[in-house]
């Protein structure tokens, strides 16, 4: 009764099912790994944000690549701002989604060396080639607290680095590029400022990363696995339905043949009427 499974149509359906099942299982594991990565990242963010601030020089140095374990680590730096070499980082969004720039300034450390400080967000100038209005920094020695971040690259951020930008404008926050521009060593990575609060609220400080949301990845993983389990079930249901339909069609055909083969009784003449 299941000989129809050997037909071309059903063989193609069976092969498609065999391809779909492992694909959906793999997609489920992919979403599971994304969930695990998100949970681990949230744990790292929470741990590093709550850690006691340490001097930035204890975690990075010129040419140093900030490891993931130190991302968002609370750090401090004391020194004087190099206002002559302040730049803006284009195409950055504010907390409420407005397009503007980040203000990046070198901080010459008290004990020697230079570290980059992302002061926060300000609106862009009316012309993209003009330098925006940026509030002045405090004069003299200052102590900055912030989150340690890794150098930005095109491969990691997806931001294309444009070379022919107007003066004092950049696309990426990258210590190696700034060290070349400044002609002096710069500590790897940069500080995302959290304190002190700017006078008048500008530049707008960057919000702390979210360490509470885990996203829908686990739900997606379960859905893919349910889909994978549903493929063979659906195949069996379709096969049983096809068998039932074929049996019903065969029964109707047999009944029709039987009716056709039975002899018909001769018609009786109607009685004559007066």
């Amino acid at each position: 009764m299941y000989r129809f499974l050997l037909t071309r149509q059903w063989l193609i359906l069976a092969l498609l099912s065999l391809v779909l099942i492992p694909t959906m299982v793999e997609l489920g594991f992919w979403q599971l790994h994304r969930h695990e990565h998100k949970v681990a990242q949230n744990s790292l963010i929470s741990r590093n944000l709550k850690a006691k601030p340490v001097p930035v020089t204890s975690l990075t140095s010129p040419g140093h690549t900030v490891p993931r374990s130190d991302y968002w680590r609370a750090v401090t730096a004391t020194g004087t701002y190099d206002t002559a070499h302040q730049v803006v980082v284009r195409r950055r969004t504010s907390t409420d989604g407005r397009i503007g720039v980040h203000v990046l300034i070198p901080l010459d450390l008290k004990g020697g060396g230079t570290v980059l400080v992302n002061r926060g967000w300000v609106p862009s100038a009316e012309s993209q080639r003009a330098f925006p209005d940026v509030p002045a920094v405090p004069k003299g020695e200052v102590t900055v607290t912030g989150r340690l971040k890794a150098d930005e690259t095109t491969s990691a951020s997806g931001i294309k680095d444009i070379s022919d930008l107007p003066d004092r404008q950049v696309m990426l926050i990258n210590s190696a590029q700034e060290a070349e521009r400044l002609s002096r060593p710069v500590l790897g990575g940069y500080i995302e400022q959290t304190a002190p609060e700017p006078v008048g609220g500008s530049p707008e400080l960057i919000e702390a990363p979210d360490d509470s949301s885990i996203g829908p990845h686990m739900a997606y993983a379960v859905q893919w696995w349910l889909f994978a389990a549903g493929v063979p079930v659906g195949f069996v249901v379709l096969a049983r339905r096809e068998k039932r339909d074929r049996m019903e069609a065969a029964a109707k055909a047999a009944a029709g043949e039987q009716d056709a083969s039975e002899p018909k009784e001769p018609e009786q003449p109607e009685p004559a009427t007066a």
Side-chain angles (χ1 to χ4, degrees), residues 27-270:
L27 286 171
F29 279 111
W30 173 60
Q31 289 290 349
L32 175 63
H33 294 154
R34 293 187 68 187
H35 168 78
E36 292 172 341
H37 173 77
K38 185 66 175 178
V39 170
Q41 179 169 286
N42 285 350
S43 177
L44 174 66
I45 293 173
S46 180
R47 183 172 62 253
N48 284 355
L49 291 180
K50 293 176 182 177
K52 182 180 178 180
V54 298
V56 66
T57 52
S58 67
L59 295 179
T60 185
S61 58
H64 177 74
T65 299
V66 177
R68 177 166 290 277
S69 59
D70 287 337
Y71 286 10
W72 307 286
R73 182 71 186 274
V75 295
T76 60
T78 300
T80 56
Y81 285 120
D82 180 0
T83 56
H85 294 100
Q86 182 170 243
V87 299
V88 293
V89 189
R90 293 171 52 142
R91 299 178 187 174
R92 303 299 165 118
T93 56
S94 66
T95 302
D96 57 4
R98 291 171 293 160
I99 303 297
V101 298
H102 282 173
V103 181
L104 188 68
I105 188 169
L107 179 69
D108 294 328
L109 299 173
K110 183 177 181 180
T114 300
V115 66
L116 302 176
V117 177
N118 185 348
R119 297 177 57 198
W121 181 91
V122 297
S124 302
E126 292 185 4
S127 169
Q128 289 195 1
R129 303 199 67 83
F131 196 81
D133 183 18
V134 177
V137 294
K139 295 181 179 179
E141 187 175 280
V142 296
T143 297
V144 175
T145 301
R147 298 179 285 265
L148 181 62
K149 299 291 291 292
D151 289 321
E152 296 178 346
T153 62
T154 297
S155 59
S157 65
I159 301 173
K160 184 179 180 180
D161 195 10
I162 302 174
S163 57
D164 59 344
L165 292 175
D167 186 38
R168 296 191 297 161
Q169 296 190 31
V170 298
M171 295 299 299
L172 298 169
I173 305 178
N174 187 283
S175 62
Q177 291 181 0
E178 292 305 298
E180 183 177 353
R181 188 175 66 88
L182 297 171
S183 299
R184 63 177 185 267
V186 176
L187 272 63
Y190 65 97
I191 298 175
E192 195 173 75
Q193 182 176 336
T194 58
E197 291 278 348
V199 178
S202 183
E204 181 182 302
L205 296 181
I206 301 169
E207 276 191 326
D210 183 12
D211 62 348
S212 59
S213 174
I214 59 175
H217 303 301
M218 177 57 77
Y220 290 160
V222 173
Q223 286 179 0
W224 280 119
W225 291 331
L226 289 176
F227 292 156
V231 169
V233 173
F235 186 88
V236 171
V237 170
L238 289 176
R240 290 175 63 88
R241 184 178 298 171
E242 180 73 9
K243 174 190 172 183
R244 184 193 63 196
D245 293 344
R246 286 173 176 264
M247 290 181 65
E248 290 178 353
K252 289 181 180 179
E257 292 178 358
Q258 183 177 359
D259 291 342
S261 63
E262 290 180 354
K264 294 183 178 180
E265 296 182 0
E267 294 183 359
Q268 298 293 330
E270 294 183 359

